Amino acid sequence: GVKDGRWTVLQLVEALGFSLENTDPRARGRGIQLLSQVLLQCYSLLQEKEVLHLVLFYESRLQDHHLVIPSVLQGLRALSMCEVLSPGLAVSVLKAIFREVHVQSLMQLDRHTVYSIITNFMSTREEELKGLGADFTFGFIQVMDGEKDPRNLLVAFQIVRDLIAKDYALGPFVEELFEVTSCYFPVDFTPPHNDPHGIQREDLILSLRAVLASTPQFAEFLLPLLIEKLDSELQSAKLDSLQTLTACCAIYGQKELQEFLPSLWSSLRREVFQTASEKIEMECLAALHALSACLSRSVLSSDSEDLLDSFLSSVLQDCRHHLCEPDMKLVWPSAKLLQAAAGASLRTYHRITHSVLPLLLEQYTKHTQSSQRRTILEMLLGFLELQQKWGHVEEDESTLLLLQAPVCSVVFSVLTDPSVQLQLLGIKALTVLGSLQGFLSSSDLELVVDHLIRLALHEEDSQSSEAAMEAAGSLALTYPKVFSGRMVPRLEEELQSGPPLRCVSSSELEESYHNHRSLQQRCLQALAAVSTHTSIVRETVPVLLQHLQKVQKGTEARNTQDVISVCQSLHRVALQCQQDAEGCWYFHQTVVPCLLAMAVQAAMQQSTHTLPGKALLEEEVLAAMIPVISAATTHLSPELAAQSVSHVVPLFLDGEVSFLPQNSFPCSFQPFGDGECLEAQRRLVALLMAFVCSLPRDVAIPQQEWLLRELLALSCSCNCPFTATTAAKCFAGLVNKHPAGQQLDEILQLAVNRMEPGLAEGPRRTQALTLLLWVTKALVLRYHPLSSCLTDKLLGLLGDTELGPAAADGFSLLMAESPDVLHKGCHADVRIMFRQRFFTDNVPKLVQGFHGAGPDVKANYLKGLSHVLNHLPKPVLVTELPTLLSLLLEALSCSDCVVQLSTLSCLHPLLLEAPQIMSLHVDTLVTKFLNLTSSPTMAVRIAALRCAHALTSLPTTVLLPYKGRVIRALAKPLDDKKRLVRKEAVAARGEWFLLGSPGR
């Protein structure tokens, strides 16, 4: 009635008069409870005068019997949310609560109600409450004092944060406010099992930390508390204290820290020097960094002491001398402390490095052992990397600039050291020094390039070679002129040089060719690695293409590998160009036409039976060219992509070769034409797929319907599996991005009409299945309605004795990420959670099909199911586990090793993530896993041993009865002929031996 306006609240009060004035406190409580429940639903409808009368009524009831108080507080909570509350009433209500109610004697819910009233008034009546001055703070302290419930504490901590953040008067009650909150530090709370409120210990820790670190006024009380807890034996207390100290440093100044700096440094140093916990060490270093940063921020007056300088002097005094002992255990803790302080500000960096860098250089010269030098160099590198935070070297202050010559000397000498580990550190140091603008002179840079070339091409260890290439790419971004003028010509010269001819025997000749090819491989990799700047890309790409044209003319297997190596280098360059629009377009318009031209030339020579260029038509080579073209296309702007597609598609549909370089070909290009002589040309559809399936979705493809029909026909009629598959993938990639509508429906219906007879019978059933799989994947990804119909066709094929195994493997294709088409990187339409949807729609059908299938095809259903489950997100799989586990266990008895391996891969993470469910089937699991450790397939043996190992994560009481049996069974694979199997057997058996031991 009140909601509808038929009653006023005052009329309700009159109607409740008998209850509200009843002498029985329980009856009065029920009357007030009803009134309060109405107010909680109708407070927004109240008039100002009604609110006034109700507030006065409820305030008077705060003096009533304790049974009535909870209902009175609910009513006041409702009134605290009224917008028409008259000025002064909020103060009046809070004064009454502070005066009349002993809050901590109430139940948890009623205490929470009091906190809610205070929170409501603080958000809507801030100025009124501030008029109370420190009395409001004192009243709240009385309310909160002794609170124990975590739900209430979270609200209370928030109120304290608001008191401080909104500048309420704390008056003489700063220490009392600190005491009433700090008594919970450090938080010791373990949520009860199945806690419905979901409050975690971390929630309370963060909330309390926000209070303690909210004002410098707490510093004189908090810092002694933190030092005390740091000196305790409790690790959680240490961590909490360190993290709180770090948070406090963000708002403290010199004044707050001055008195406690010696004690704080002493505690931090002790923990880093003595602790065995990496977590505590990390937090100590973070706290030291924060302290140094805090002291760096403080503005000095002319007569004040420079606390930063005296603090850093203490740090240096206690740590510096340990750097002279590279074999001792305190060298690294000392270095970490110094680096933590040095990284706080430019001031601290200059102060620390002025003392430390000359010492480290002196120690490097003094010590000659490789291990000692490595330790010193790692410390030196740590200090050099800190300079990167500021990116430039200031001439007037920098110790680093004064030490330029000895630093460079040490780093360059390391690059020629026989120790690979020292070389790697030297290369890393080179990269750091090169990133500091103004540090390396032009002669130093030339020397850097020479060292990197030598290491990249001639260093025997592949680690050093690869690291040198990475360093070259990193530095080339900063110094493109130096690298394009000095490194690229040297690499080109090495690439073009022939093998040495002074060989006296065939073995020497073979070794010479091997070394030469290895050098060429490294040249190609180095050219790609250094191509990180557009100006360098313009130098390296022509070199790579020229070399490709040179090596593709041979017919030997080594030429095929050489072509693949060039393509891999071009792919790396393409990836490095993607974020630069100019470089990306240059690479695309230079490389893509060139690759197409060479491939077309080779295909035409094959068609006319001339052999040079055959390597380009090999499947492995075309597979290596696909990612080059794809990476060169995915990041094009729509305008440039449209310009490119207007040339490439007509090339394949119309034989339009005019845009290709060197386009004088011996015959016409007809990749979709009929005839065996065009088989080589048809293979190049792989390159078309790489291009059109990587275009942005909003780029229109000319003659798309014609192209789709040609691809469809080729995928169904071609005898070459490679060509048929790439045509099917290209068709699927285009269908996935095709706008919905009649045209798409027609082309899909045409595809279904071609597939159905092909699947039914005839010599090309495999091609029809391949097309079905790729089209189904294209539609599943975009949630197209036809996808369920095509999936049903695939499910039906699981019962086919000829196509069933391939159809089962097809489920892996549907669920897995495809590397070349139909993934987000090439702009495919991939909907979120498509795997979960596929699982929900089709797993019940797989299970039903399995139960109804004959014994000769049951394995197909199990294989399909295991592929689906293997690619499902693990949290989803865990929730479905109880219904599917029996089927997975049955799959382990299947004789198909692919099914076994897939199922084991599926079960392994479940043993770790759902031990309670898995322990219900422990007897079956132990038996199955132990049987499979004798499988003839090595991969299955390894997977079974990993699962046997993972079994130890199940509850110990469940496993103990099986301990002896498992240990005896795992003795056999210890003698397996394969090393990887023996390794897994040792790990699994060792874990089972330890099962049930103390401390496990």
Side-chain angles (χ1 to χ4, degrees):
V2 174
K3 277 187 174 179
D4 297 341
R6 291 182 283 111
W7 289 69
T8 66
V9 172
L10 294 181
Q11 286 174 315
L12 175 62
V13 173
E14 290 173 8
L16 286 169
F18 176 76
S19 295
L20 299 178
E21 295 171 358
N22 198 301
T23 56
D24 180 6
R26 287 180 175 79
R28 287 201 307 280
R30 284 197 294 274
I32 294 174
Q33 183 182 19
L34 176 59
L35 177 60
S36 296
Q37 288 172 344
V38 172
L39 291 178
L40 283 168
Q41 295 195 44
C42 306
Y43 64 86
S44 61
L45 306 175
L46 297 177
Q47 302 297 316
E48 186 175 348
K49 187 173 286 188
E50 292 175 320
V51 174
L52 174 62
H53 289 302
L54 287 165
V55 167
L56 294 174
F57 166 74
Y58 273 104
E59 278 185 13
S60 67
R61 293 298 183 179
L62 285 173
Q63 302 173 8
D64 207 331
H65 194 277
H66 68 88
L67 292 174
V68 178
I69 298 300
S71 299
V72 175
L73 291 173
Q74 288 294 341
L76 288 172
R77 182 166 75 89
L79 294 171
S80 71
M81 294 185 280
C82 289
E83 293 182 6
V84 294
L85 197 71
S86 300
L89 287 183
V91 170
S92 175
V93 168
L94 289 179
K95 279 185 173 180
I97 291 174
F98 294 159
R99 183 177 63 250
E100 304 295 347
V101 183
H102 184 246
V103 175
Q104 289 306 316
S105 66
L106 301 175
M107 300 292 285
Q108 179 272 327
L109 181 61
D110 304 324
R111 301 198 304 275
H112 194 278
T113 303
V114 175
Y115 295 127
S116 298
I117 293 169
I118 296 172
T119 301
N120 292 339
F121 282 146
M122 287 181 74
S123 62
T124 59
R125 298 288 189 272
E126 183 179 328
E127 293 306 317
E128 290 182 38
L129 300 191
K130 284 182 177 178
L132 276 172
D135 289 345
F136 175 58
T137 303
F138 181 67
F140 173 72
I141 290 171
Q142 288 181 305
V143 167
M144 182 185 172
D145 194 10
E147 181 61 67
K148 291 183 175 63
D149 191 277
R151 293 163 287 180
N152 291 349
L153 282 173
L154 286 177
V155 184
F157 290 156
Q158 181 61 54
I159 292 172
V160 179
R161 290 209 299 276
D162 290 342
L163 279 173
I164 294 166
K166 296 180 179 178
D167 206 21
Y168 282 78
L170 305 184
F173 304 115
V174 174
E175 185 172 2
E176 285 77 4
L177 187 62
F178 173 77
E179 291 295 339
V180 84
T181 51
S182 64
C183 62
Y184 302 100
F185 183 87
V187 171
D188 182 19
F189 168 67
T190 304
H193 185 59
N194 295 329
D195 178 21
H197 308 290
I199 295 174
Q200 299 297 314
R201 179 170 174 269
E202 192 66 19
D203 300 327
L204 289 167
I205 288 173
L206 294 175
S207 189
L208 176 57
R209 185 177 302 150
V211 171
L212 297 177
S214 62
T215 173
Q217 295 180 75
F218 285 166
E220 61 179 304
F221 316 113
L222 177 61
L223 290 173
L225 176 64
L226 295 180
I227 293 168
E228 177 192 331
K229 299 301 180 185
L230 267 175
D231 295 343
S232 73
E233 295 300 318
L234 198 62
Q235 217 179 55
S236 60
K238 290 178 189 283
L239 283 173
D240 207 349
S241 300
L242 290 165
Q243 290 164 350
T244 304
L245 175 60
T246 301
C248 289
C249 287
I251 62 163
Y252 285 3
Q254 286 201 11
K255 183 179 73 172
E256 288 77 25
L257 293 171
Q258 183 169 8
E259 181 185 347
F260 306 100
L261 279 175
S263 299
L264 286 169
W265 164 239
S266 175
S267 298
L268 293 174
R269 182 193 63 217
R270 183 192 66 246
E271 291 302 325
V272 173
F273 279 0
Q274 297 180 6
T275 187
S277 164
E278 285 186 21
K279 181 70 174 167
I280 287 181
E281 181 189 88
M282 186 176 72
E283 294 299 341
C284 281
L285 297 175
L288 177 59
H289 182 279
L291 276 171
S292 304
C294 176
L295 295 173
S296 300
R297 285 194 304 270
S298 301
V299 179
L300 295 175
S301 57
S302 57
D303 58 343
S304 63
E305 179 190 357
D306 186 354
L307 279 183
L308 177 65
D309 190 64
S310 58
F311 179 68
L312 294 179
S313 295
S314 299
V315 175
L316 283 164
Q317 181 181 342
D318 292 339
C319 297
R320 186 177 182 274
H321 61 280
H322 290 302
L323 304 185
C324 302
E325 302 164 338
D327 293 328
M328 306 303 285
K329 73 171 189 175
L330 290 183
V331 65
W332 269 116
S334 299
K336 289 175 182 177
L337 285 166
L338 289 166
Q339 287 168 5
S345 70
L346 202 52
R347 269 183 76 196
T348 60
Y349 182 76
H350 289 320
R351 178 72 176 84
I352 297 286
T353 54
H354 180 75
S355 174
V356 170
L357 288 187
L359 177 68
L360 290 175
L361 292 170
E362 177 191 323
Q363 293 301 311
Y364 183 86
T365 307
K366 183 178 176 182
H367 292 87
T368 55
Q369 287 185 20
S370 180
S371 60
Q372 295 172 329
R373 286 193 157 189
R374 180 181 167 189
T375 300
I376 295 165
L377 195 59
E378 283 176 339
M379 291 190 286
L380 180 64
L381 183 59
F383 286 103
L384 294 178
E385 285 174 334
L386 291 175
Q387 178 72 56
Q388 286 182 301
K389 291 175 69 173
W390 296 282
H392 59 281
V393 183
E394 296 181 4
E395 293 186 22
D396 54 341
E397 289 189 68
S398 176
T399 304
L400 193 55
L401 207 57
L402 296 173
L403 297 170
Q404 180 185 17
V407 167
C408 287
S409 174
V410 164
V411 172
F412 290 150
S413 70
V414 166
L415 297 175
T416 57
D417 195 278
S419 166
V420 173
Q421 297 304 318
L422 277 176
Q423 283 182 13
L424 292 173
L425 282 171
I427 292 167
K428 196 172 181 183
L430 265 191
T431 309
V432 174
L433 294 178
S435 69
L436 304 177
Q437 290 289 342
F439 184 80
L440 294 175
S441 66
S442 56
S443 59
D444 286 335
L445 283 170
E446 290 178 358
L447 194 54
V448 165
V449 172
D450 292 343
H451 275 299
L452 291 177
I453 292 172
R454 177 184 57 78
L455 288 166
L457 300 186
H458 303 295
E459 177 56 46
E460 286 185 18
D461 187 84
S462 61
Q463 276 184 288
S464 295
S465 175
E466 289 167 12
M469 293 181 198
E470 292 295 330
S474 176
L475 292 173
L477 271 172
T478 312
Y479 309 101
K481 288 185 179 179
V482 177
F483 278 84
S484 71
R486 193 171 183 87
M487 187 168 190
V488 175
R490 291 270 299 277
L491 293 173
E492 182 180 4
E493 182 183 335
E494 292 280 5
L495 191 63
Q496 292 176 349
S497 64
L501 300 176
R502 290 172 296 174
C503 303
V504 294
S505 66
S506 60
S507 61
E508 284 185 351
L509 183 63
E510 184 64 31
E511 184 181 354
S512 170
Y513 270 105
H514 174 76
N515 292 337
H516 175 65
R517 291 187 71 240
S518 176
L519 176 64
Q520 288 204 324
Q521 294 276 348
R522 287 198 176 184
C523 284
L524 293 171
Q525 292 167 0
L527 282 167
V530 81
S531 302
T532 51
H533 192 279
T534 302
S535 63
I536 301 177
V537 171
R538 292 178 181 275
E539 303 279 341
T540 56
V541 164
V543 174
L544 290 170
L545 292 176
Q546 183 183 353
H547 187 68
L548 179 62
Q549 290 169 335
K550 176 183 172 184
V551 299
Q552 60 96 14
K553 292 177 181 176
T555 57
E556 301 172 28
R558 66 176 62 176
N559 291 86
T560 299
Q561 188 54 52
D562 289 342
V563 174
I564 291 172
S565 298
V566 181
C567 290
Q568 288 169 342
S569 292
L570 286 170
H571 181 227
R572 178 169 181 175
V573 178
L575 293 174
Q576 291 167 180
C577 288
Q578 285 181 339
Q579 302 309 316
D580 176 62
E582 181 191 348
C584 185
W585 177 236
Y586 167 78
F587 184 90
H588 181 88
Q589 66 176 350
T590 306
V591 173
V592 173
C594 185
L595 291 180
L596 290 173
M598 284 192 280
V600 169
Q601 182 77 41
M604 289 183 179
Q605 288 171 344
Q606 184 82 353
S607 302
T608 54
H609 307 291
T610 53
L611 287 177
K614 182 183 177 184
L616 278 180
L617 302 176
E618 298 287 340
E619 286 183 23
E620 312 92 83
V621 173
L622 290 171
M625 292 169 75
I626 287 170
V628 179
I629 295 173
S630 179
T633 307
T634 52
H635 284 63
L636 288 180
S637 67
E639 296 78 20
L640 294 175
Q643 183 180 330
S644 189
V645 77
S646 66
H647 296 304
V648 176
V649 172
L651 167 68
F652 282 85
L653 289 179
D654 306 319
E656 178 53 64
V657 297
S658 58
F659 82 101
L660 298 178
Q662 303 169 357
N663 53 20
S664 55
F665 300 116
C667 61
S668 60
F669 183 56
Q670 300 173 328
F672 293 113
D674 296 326
E676 287 187 21
C677 63
L678 298 176
E679 181 56 45
Q681 295 187 18
R682 285 195 280 270
R683 296 168 78 83
L684 301 194
V685 169
L687 306 184
L688 173 67
M689 174 199 75
F691 176 76
V692 294
C693 292
S694 302
L695 292 168
R697 237 183 287 177
D698 52 356
V699 174
I701 296 175
Q703 308 174 82
Q704 184 170 10
E705 307 311 313
W706 178 19
L707 177 60
L708 284 166
R709 290 171 187 272
E710 294 286 8
L711 288 167
L712 180 60
L714 185 60
S715 66
C716 294
S717 61
C718 184
N719 292 321
C720 171
F722 175 79
T723 303
T725 301
T726 51
K729 289 164 73 173
C730 189
F731 179 83
L734 293 174
V735 162
N736 174 263
K737 297 180 190 178
H738 199 294
Q742 184 181 351
Q743 283 186 328
L744 178 61
D745 294 342
E746 288 175 359
I747 199 71
L748 287 174
Q749 188 57 52
L750 186 63
V752 171
N753 294 342
R754 292 293 295 264
M755 282 188 284
E756 284 183 339
L759 288 168
E761 58 183 2
R764 297 196 176 94
R765 296 186 76 198
T766 303
Q767 286 93 321
L769 174 61
T770 302
L771 179 63
L772 172 63
L773 287 169
W774 283 103
V775 174
T776 304
K777 183 178 179 72
L779 300 183
V780 164
L781 292 178
R782 63 179 282 178
Y783 289 177
H784 191 279
L786 186 61
S787 63
S788 58
C789 173
L790 296 183
T791 308
D792 288 343
K793 291 183 186 298
L794 189 59
L795 286 165
L797 289 172
L798 293 174
D800 187 296
T801 51
E802 180 189 349
L803 291 182
D809 286 331
F811 281 90
S812 176
L813 186 150
L814 294 181
M815 299 292 281
E817 185 87 3
S818 173
D820 43 13
V821 293
L822 296 177
H823 59 87
K824 287 184 178 179
C826 63
H827 313 288
D829 186 356
V830 181
R831 303 297 174 88
I832 191 170
M833 297 175 72
F834 78 89
R835 291 183 178 89
Q836 288 89 319
R837 179 168 173 167
F838 187 87
F839 170 86
T840 305
D841 291 347
N842 296 293
V843 164
K845 298 176 184 176
L846 277 168
V847 174
Q848 184 182 355
F850 169 79
H851 290 305
D856 54 337
V857 293
K858 272 185 180 289
N860 297 337
Y861 289 90
L862 288 175
K863 188 190 289 188
L865 176 66
S866 61
H867 283 315
V868 173
L869 298 182
N870 247 323
H871 292 94
L872 199 65
K874 292 301 174 279
V876 180
L877 186 53
V878 168
T879 60
E880 301 291 338
L881 185 57
T883 57
L884 295 172
L885 189 54
S886 59
L887 208 57
L888 286 171
L889 295 175
E890 193 168 342
L892 291 177
S893 303
C894 177
S895 58
D896 189 325
C897 65
V898 176
V899 177
Q900 293 172 348
L901 187 59
S902 186
T903 308
L904 289 167
S905 302
C906 187
L907 287 171
H908 183 268
L910 296 175
L911 290 165
L912 305 173
E913 294 173 28
Q916 297 302 325
I917 300 172
M918 300 299 277
S919 62
L920 300 174
H921 301 266
V922 64
D923 189 70
T924 309
L925 289 168
V926 168
T927 304
K928 301 276 188 187
F929 293 159
L930 294 181
N931 288 342
L932 289 174
T933 59
S934 302
S935 166
T937 307
M938 182 184 79
V940 173
R941 298 200 299 278
I942 290 173
L945 287 165
R946 285 177 180 163
C947 286
H949 188 170
L951 273 174
T952 57
S953 62
L954 271 53
T956 304
T957 51
V958 175
L959 296 176
L960 281 175
Y962 302 92
K963 181 176 178 180
R965 173 186 165 192
V966 173
I967 290 172
R968 286 193 300 274
L970 291 181
K972 182 183 176 184
L974 291 177
D975 295 325
D976 196 280
K977 59 184 178 181
K978 296 293 185 180
R979 182 183 62 83
L980 293 175
V981 177
R982 297 196 299 272
K983 179 183 173 185
E984 295 294 340
V986 168
R989 196 165 186 255
E991 203 63 35
W992 275 90
F993 261 118
L994 294 171
L995 195 72
S997 305
R1000 298 293 292 178

